[in-house]
Amino acid sequence: MSTIAAEPPTGIDDRLARRNAVVLAVAQALAGANTTVVFGTAGLVGTMLAPDPGLATVPVSTFVLGLWAGTLPVGYIARRFGRLVAFEIGTLLGFAAGLLCATAVVFAWFPLFCAGTFAGGLYGSAHQSYRFAAADTASEAFRPKAVSWVLAGGVMAGVFGPQLVIATKDLMPHYTFAAGYLAQAVVAVVAAGVLLLVRFPPPAAAAGRSGGPPARPLPVIFRQPRLIMAVICGLASYATMNLMMTAAPVAMVACNHSVTDAALGLQWHVMAMYAPSFVTGSLIARFGSARVIAAGLALTAAAGAVGWAGVSLAHFWVALILLGIGWNFAFVGATALVTACHTPAERNKVQAVNDFFVFGAMAIGSFASGQMLARHGWPLVVEVVLGAVLATVALLGWVALAGRRRAAPPS
């Protein structure tokens, strides 16, 4: 049986890309449970452990901070030692995150709980790169489908994560959610085993030394209007989604809905985030990334409008479902654009910088959501989402206009 070493370092192999996409989708389903457990419970645990109600969502924010902080190191490790090393270090951090969070709940220690969610964020920064890894050997035509196949693994995470919370929340009656974090640690170990089945290409740096095009400086790469638009869309889609998703479970409980209702609402949201991935790649191939991204931003705006209209269970759930679908269209479209803007030798650094921008904005929004919710309530959260979408559309229009002016021949 041939090995990946026998393939051309920068070669295109859609059969290998399909195989890797399927395996990475399974790994995504397992790793995604880490994110789902944190977003489904950390805000609620925060209300129990935090010294001030305004700090209730800080554990979710430290998760996002870890997600942001890990993007550049993940890119460096993948470039220097290969994607497998970077991903397996991520699963080790996911295991540590579960143990730290469980210990913090048992001892009612808020700072340790935040440290645990930060470690979970570092794990998240690794598994967010699974979508890029699937595209490493894919042809230009198959690339959007490879990305969307991996994100489709989040459908199982959307079912598995919340059910893990519901099934384990009472296993340690005096320490709510502690058992769920221990279970999440075990799932990270399983994910580490699945990743061993992926056939990763060699590090991009090695590919560059093997005769491929040399890597350009980052400032040159990021002058491309297409890449600027991809970063803006990825940033906006993730920041607005995270802002609403972070605040929603706490807001639902504050509006007298049960913890189970909040967990199920999150389950529907996560399923809506990933279920469209079965068709998003085909939609991009047929209609183009720009139209799919535009549809995603429109659905995100609709989610904000529904959330603003009321606080019944139906309002929360419909808003979260629309938010999930909108995120999928905008984020998969943005990811596909990123993969079309770099060479194989540039992929790790470009993808890492893209995620650094995206998750940096996400971290700022996450830290702001707790104060918004505590001081001004749920309506302000959804109003900010609506404003952010409008600002993004205006900014995209400006970038597109500037790109056309640059491309126009001098008169």
Side-chain angles (χ1 to χ4, degrees):
M1 182 178 293
S2 63
T3 65
I4 188 64
E7 299 291 338
T10 58
I12 299 302
D13 185 347
D14 278 349
R15 185 171 62 177
L16 176 60
R18 289 186 181 91
R19 179 186 184 279
N20 283 348
V22 171
V23 177
L24 286 166
V26 175
Q28 179 74 28
L30 296 169
N34 165 68
T35 302
T36 308
V37 168
V38 170
F39 277 105
T41 63
L44 302 175
V45 173
T47 61
M48 296 184 289
L49 301 184
D52 181 272
L55 301 176
T57 61
V58 167
V60 179
S61 299
T62 54
F63 175 90
V64 178
L65 188 62
L67 195 63
W68 181 36
T71 52
L72 295 182
V74 165
Y76 171 78
I77 294 170
R79 187 168 67 252
R80 182 73 175 82
F81 303 105
R83 289 204 190 268
L84 180 60
V85 174
F87 292 169
E88 293 292 17
I89 290 173
T91 59
L92 180 62
L93 288 165
F95 176 73
L99 296 184
L100 288 173
C101 288
T103 302
V105 171
V106 170
F107 291 98
W109 193 5
F110 186 66
L112 183 62
F113 186 70
C114 292
T117 59
F118 180 81
L122 294 174
Y123 179 26
S125 67
H127 79 70
Q128 285 294 337
S129 294
Y130 293 178
R131 72 193 197 277
F132 287 125
D136 282 350
T137 64
S139 65
E140 185 175 352
F142 184 64
R143 229 174 265 148
K145 293 183 180 180
V147 171
S148 63
W149 284 14
V150 173
L151 290 179
V155 175
M156 288 307 299
V159 175
F160 183 46
Q163 291 302 321
L164 193 65
V165 172
I166 293 170
T168 60
K169 68 184 177 70
D170 296 323
L171 290 181
M172 300 172 68
H174 300 294
Y175 309 108
T176 306
F177 301 127
Y181 291 117
L182 291 174
Q184 179 263 309
V186 174
V187 172
V189 175
V190 177
V194 171
L195 287 169
L196 295 175
L197 301 176
V198 182
R199 292 171 59 196
F200 291 98
R209 290 193 299 268
S210 300
R216 297 166 292 174
L218 280 172
V220 173
I221 300 171
F222 277 87
R223 284 184 199 139
Q224 302 172 85
R226 274 201 310 174
L227 185 54
I228 295 171
M229 293 178 68
V231 172
I232 291 172
C233 293
L235 186 155
S237 63
Y238 234 121
T240 52
M241 183 276 293
N242 183 70
L243 182 66
M244 279 188 71
M245 185 174 70
T246 299
V250 178
M252 290 176 72
V253 172
C255 292
N256 299 315
H257 302 298
S258 69
V259 171
T260 297
D261 285 338
L264 289 173
L266 187 70
Q267 174 176 314
W268 284 111
H269 167 70
V270 176
M271 289 183 67
M273 285 174 63
Y274 295 111
S277 296
F278 291 109
V279 298
T280 308
S282 297
L283 291 175
I284 292 172
R286 181 171 181 180
F287 299 107
S289 295
R291 291 181 180 178
V292 173
I293 290 170
L297 293 174
L299 287 167
T300 300
V306 172
W308 185 82
V311 293
S312 70
L313 190 61
H315 282 98
F316 277 110
W317 282 17
V318 171
L320 286 171
I321 290 170
L322 290 173
L323 182 69
I325 299 172
W327 172 85
N328 182 278
F329 284 3
F331 190 64
V332 174
T335 299
L337 275 181
V338 170
T339 62
C341 295
H342 59 72
T343 67
E346 298 163 349
R347 63 187 173 216
N348 290 121
K349 67 179 182 180
V350 172
Q351 293 161 8
V353 171
N354 171 75
D355 281 358
F356 181 78
F357 287 134
V358 169
F359 298 127
M362 183 179 171
I364 293 170
S366 183
F367 276 104
S369 68
Q371 294 300 319
M372 287 184 198
L373 194 61
R375 302 184 188 281
H376 303 286
W378 175 248
L380 180 62
V381 173
V382 293
E383 287 166 6
V384 169
V385 168
L386 287 168
V389 171
L390 292 175
T392 300
V393 171
L395 189 56
L396 287 174
W398 177 79
V399 171
L401 182 60
R404 281 197 292 269
R405 285 177 177 172
R406 184 184 301 174
S411 55

